[in-house]
Amino acid sequence: MPPEPTARAPAREEGMVLAFIWSPAPVQTGSVSRIPDPPHRRQRGRPLKVFVMKVSLLFTLLLASLSARAELIEAQGSAAILGGDEVYAREQATRDALRQALLASGASVSSIQRLENGSLRSEQIQIRSGGDIRQYRLKREEVRNGRMYITLVADIQAERQICQTQHYAKDLTLVRLRMRYPDQASTGALDDMPADLSRRLFETLATTPQVVARQWLDENLRIDPLHLQQGDRSALEEIKALSLRTDSQYLVLGSIDDLSLEPQGNALTSWYEDPVRNFSMQLYLFDGINGSLLGRKEYKGRANWTFSKREQVGSSGGQFWQSSFGQEVGYQLKEAAQDIAAELACAPVTARIVAQHERGPHINLGRRNGVKLGDQFRVQHSADFVDPYGKSRVMRNPADGLFEVVQVFEDGAIISSQNKYSPFNVQIGDLAVLE
């Protein structure tokens, strides 16, 4: 049996995406002159000089290993096969598998973005990711239900996600998605798709360590994310109010923008060939404390629609989710949940003061968020105001000194001032930012 193919990252080429990994600088052997030591000092100073050089080199190597460490990770990726094009599906499935390997290694967001912005060379199945992926070995290839599955083992040497707040889970509420063009849902009876997709995305986020999924808000709100992106101030005020109502710092809103069908073949063959159905979804991530938009991303996919035109499939049962199109939608939801978790990994942790206790202020973050005894917060007094033009402005006045966590509950904690700052100066509605 011939050996399994091994793909290696190619040499640097024009247009490739580069990664900068911190590594020890090479020893320079130039012709810099120096005054020689006297003969009686040369021998005595040499052992100390060698010792210092060894310690310096060891320290440099240690720092380099902390910033990027190689490891072997097995991962699986998948992609829909359209028009029988298995070559393209194999490339996309390989890219997905490498993405899963990077995520499993704890790679930084920039490493994942380098992978997504890179290019795959179809002839050799090679990826140019700037050194984050040193090499990988294809282990298994399968085709099931119109989808290509690739399993590989990757040698990852990626920049680690290192930040102060990465061990704290952030509160998040998901608002039911909007349907941009309801008429497109008529084929297959997908009218309930916004609710079904929102529920599945929420359940996926609830299993993510970086997130405490507070609630899935199954309401038809007046907030249109498209208007939020265009800077609608009144909508931003609604975001802040929604954050307060749901007791969540972060909010996810979005819309389903495309469910259109594309007939395949020509006029003579289109009646028996499965059409291709498009899927497009936009998600918006907000910091509800100040109403700011943190990010927006569009997720697109295409897959064969294997049902007849008159079949009432719906989007809640296994018949839909096990189909080729349902699996593609599920893949996009999984990728969206991973992106949200990665975006929140190093996001600020801000608690609200929700009550006063004899030992100090009571905040709305607790054990589920990773808060523990001894954690320190800096209290910020809310001083929001409306300017002469009628626009609300966010203003915070920091309190003197730090507050330390002295008691922890499942969904809350009590903080106490470390410099005898009067607790009566802290009001309900003030904020506490993790130091």
Side-chain angles (χ1 to χ4, degrees):
M1 180 179 294
E4 294 180 305
T6 299
R8 294 183 177 271
R12 185 181 304 177
E13 301 177 18
E14 183 179 357
M16 67 183 292
V17 182
L18 300 179
F20 298 93
I21 299 179
W22 187 13
S23 59
V27 178
Q28 300 295 327
T29 56
S31 58
V32 179
S33 60
R34 60 185 295 272
I35 301 175
D37 292 323
H40 67 279
R41 293 180 56 187
R42 290 178 197 165
Q43 196 65 27
R44 189 190 313 174
R46 186 176 180 184
L48 178 60
K49 180 178 179 181
V50 172
F51 174 76
V52 172
M53 290 178 64
K54 288 183 177 180
V55 171
S56 300
L57 180 60
L58 179 63
F59 184 68
T60 305
L61 291 173
L62 177 61
L63 290 177
S65 65
L66 289 176
S67 63
R69 186 184 64 186
E71 57 181 319
L72 294 176
I73 295 179
E74 181 174 323
Q76 185 183 77
S78 68
I81 302 173
L82 296 175
D85 190 352
E86 292 191 359
V87 173
Y88 181 75
R90 185 177 295 108
E91 293 176 1
Q92 297 308 305
T94 301
R95 184 192 298 273
D96 181 37
L98 291 171
R99 170 189 165 88
Q100 301 306 318
L102 280 173
L103 287 168
S105 73
S108 64
V109 176
S110 60
S111 294
I112 299 170
Q113 289 173 344
R114 281 193 290 269
L115 170 64
E116 293 176 346
N117 296 331
S119 61
L120 286 168
R121 296 177 56 185
S122 58
E123 310 86 26
Q124 300 173 332
I125 314 294
Q126 292 180 337
I127 189 164
R128 294 181 280 187
S129 63
D132 293 337
I133 302 169
R134 301 173 63 185
Q135 63 180 15
Y136 63 88
R137 177 172 57 87
L138 301 179
K139 186 175 181 180
R140 187 167 54 254
E141 176 182 308
E142 301 173 89
V143 176
R144 300 195 308 268
N145 197 22
R147 200 166 184 86
M148 173 77 69
Y149 293 86
I150 291 291
T151 303
L152 52 77
V153 178
D155 185 0
I156 305 292
Q157 186 171 350
E159 175 189 351
R160 294 309 179 102
Q161 188 90 312
I162 299 176
C163 59
Q164 183 180 1
T165 63
Q166 64 181 352
H167 301 300
Y168 295 85
K170 285 74 177 181
D171 286 339
L172 180 140
T173 286
L174 174 66
V175 180
R176 188 178 69 192
L177 303 178
R178 298 168 61 95
M179 182 76 81
R180 187 69 63 190
Y181 303 107
D183 292 345
Q184 293 181 347
S186 59
T187 302
L190 304 182
D191 306 272
D192 294 332
M193 201 170 187
D196 293 332
L197 259 65
S198 303
R199 186 186 301 109
R200 282 195 167 240
L201 180 56
F202 178 80
E203 292 171 352
T204 305
L205 286 168
T207 63
T208 304
Q210 296 91 338
V211 173
V212 172
R214 287 281 187 181
Q215 57 181 298
W216 166 55
L217 203 59
D218 189 15
E219 297 180 13
N220 187 18
L221 301 180
R222 296 178 301 169
I223 304 174
D224 188 341
L226 186 61
H227 296 160
L228 293 171
Q229 185 187 359
Q230 296 169 353
D232 187 339
R233 295 296 305 180
S234 62
L236 294 180
E237 292 305 311
E238 291 189 50
I239 286 290
K240 291 195 289 185
L242 184 61
S243 170
L244 187 62
R245 175 159 73 94
T246 59
D247 199 25
S248 302
Q249 180 179 358
Y250 295 100
L251 302 169
V252 174
L253 292 84
S255 59
I256 301 172
D257 297 336
D258 191 7
L259 289 175
S260 61
L261 288 159
E262 295 180 10
Q264 301 300 296
N266 53 41
L268 297 177
T269 62
S270 61
W271 65 274
Y272 66 83
E273 289 192 30
D274 290 332
V276 170
R277 192 157 201 170
N278 297 301
F279 175 76
S280 177
M281 171 182 70
Q282 292 200 63
L283 293 181
Y284 301 78
L285 178 63
F286 290 90
D287 185 338
I289 297 291
N290 52 34
S292 62
L293 175 63
L294 299 180
R296 177 191 70 86
K297 187 169 181 180
E298 184 176 21
Y299 298 88
K300 287 186 174 183
R302 302 171 76 239
N304 291 326
W305 180 253
T306 54
F307 306 100
S308 66
K309 291 183 178 180
R310 298 183 179 181
E311 195 167 355
Q312 303 295 296
V313 184
S315 56
S316 60
Q319 184 184 18
F320 172 81
W321 291 104
Q322 292 170 13
S323 69
S324 181
F325 182 74
Q327 288 182 7
E328 179 62 26
V329 173
Y331 166 77
Q332 298 298 331
L333 292 179
K334 182 185 73 172
E335 183 174 339
Q338 291 172 342
D339 288 341
I340 292 171
E343 188 71 30
L344 292 179
C346 289
V349 176
T350 304
R352 286 188 175 93
I353 308 296
V354 294
Q356 282 285 0
H357 190 271
E358 60 182 8
R359 300 185 67 183
H362 191 125
I363 62 175
N364 67 335
L365 301 182
R367 191 175 295 112
R368 284 209 304 167
N369 302 91
V371 174
K372 57 189 179 299
L373 294 175
D375 282 348
Q376 293 185 327
F377 287 81
R378 187 173 297 278
V379 170
Q380 295 182 347
H381 301 299
S382 179
D384 297 352
F385 65 97
V386 178
D387 67 18
Y389 302 99
K391 293 184 178 180
S392 61
R393 302 292 183 181
V394 177
M395 184 174 179
R396 302 284 183 260
N397 294 325
D400 294 333
L402 297 175
F403 286 71
E404 185 174 300
V405 175
V406 295
Q407 191 172 357
V408 183
F409 310 101
E410 190 67 15
D411 287 310
I414 295 175
I415 57 177
S416 178
S417 174
Q418 300 303 294
N419 64 338
K420 298 182 179 180
Y421 186 79
S422 175
F424 298 104
N425 292 331
V426 181
Q427 304 295 320
I428 294 177
D430 287 345
L431 304 177
V433 182
L434 182 70
E435 281 288 300

